Amino acid sequence: MSLFAQDNGKNTSVKGNDSTNDFPRRWVGKWKGTMHWYQGLVEREPVLMELHILPLDSADHYTWRMIYGSQQSDVRPYILKPFNKEKGHWLIDERNSIVLDHFLVGDRFSSSFTVQGNTLINNTWLSGDSLSVEFYNMQEKPIAISGGGDSTIPKVKSYGIRTYQRAVLYRY
């Protein structure tokens, strides 16, 4: 039994849920909470976090403004825009030539990207009256490679997880 199911490319009926069918409309608002940050077993000082998801003048374009710190010392004024809404493929435009692909997968809005030797995986999801945000940071190069002894056993690369961040945000 494989750890990961394979997509055979055939169309299957998709049963969406309200959270994904109404994305990002149901997520619109100003959200605020505390980001908890862990490096290994050590919890770093929590940071206030806000996420503003608000409609812009352009069709289906929204702000995706991330704000960190009590004095709003770190403001990231991104733009959320569709790439292929039918497939749940969206873009977050950092407005500096960096554009990150994001995907609706189940009830999660997820992305993965690598920058300066770090691979980041993030997930955001709506749950009741809260919006949860999490980030994993792992090193780009594997720390170990196992398996691959013969053609029936694949090589498996393991990666070191450096940090984990999580926030539960509430509309205000």
Side-chain angles (χ1 to χ4, degrees):
M1 175 190 227
S2 174
L3 181 61
F4 300 99
Q6 294 183 3
D7 180 1
N8 62 10
K10 295 180 182 176
N11 280 335
T12 57
S13 69
V14 176
K15 179 183 175 189
N17 60 44
D18 288 340
S19 181
T20 56
N21 289 340
D22 290 341
F23 179 85
R25 188 180 58 78
R26 288 188 60 219
W27 296 34
V28 166
K30 291 183 176 183
W31 302 84
K32 182 187 263 186
T34 302
M35 171 74 75
H36 295 274
W37 175 30
Y38 304 89
Q39 274 185 307
L41 300 174
V42 177
E43 182 174 5
R44 298 296 179 191
E45 179 137 357
V47 175
L48 292 177
M49 177 185 179
E50 294 183 32
L51 176 58
H52 300 176
I53 306 168
L54 303 170
L56 291 172
D57 292 336
S58 301
D60 287 330
H61 287 197
Y62 295 80
T63 64
W64 191 269
R65 179 181 298 263
M66 300 173 79
I67 303 168
Y68 297 97
S70 60
Q71 302 298 314
Q72 298 188 354
S73 56
D74 185 357
V75 178
R76 302 175 188 192
Y78 305 152
I79 305 278
L80 171 67
K81 51 191 175 182
F83 183 80
N84 184 333
K85 286 175 30 175
E86 292 72 32
K87 293 188 176 186
H89 186 175
W90 289 76
L91 303 173
I92 291 187
D93 184 346
E94 293 192 2
R95 302 168 65 185
N96 62 1
S97 79
I98 297 172
V99 178
L100 303 174
D101 293 271
H102 280 66
F103 300 89
L104 288 166
V105 180
D107 67 347
R108 303 296 198 259
F109 186 57
S110 304
S111 77
S112 173
F113 59 92
T114 300
V115 59
Q116 297 179 326
N118 296 287
T119 297
L120 286 87
I121 297 173
N122 65 59
N123 293 293
T124 306
W125 67 96
L126 185 63
S127 179
D129 64 347
S130 67
L131 191 69
S132 294
V133 180
E134 68 179 3
F135 297 91
Y136 286 92
N137 174 346
M138 62 200 72
Q139 59 194 60
E140 180 180 14
K141 293 182 181 180
I143 59 171
I145 301 174
S146 60
D150 62 41
S151 63
T152 64
I153 301 172
K155 283 187 180 179
V156 176
K157 298 176 182 177
S158 297
Y159 299 87
I161 305 291
R162 292 181 170 155
T163 65
Y164 172 71
Q165 299 172 335
R166 177 148 196 242
V168 178
L169 310 175
Y170 296 91
R171 277 190 180 101
Y172 71 96

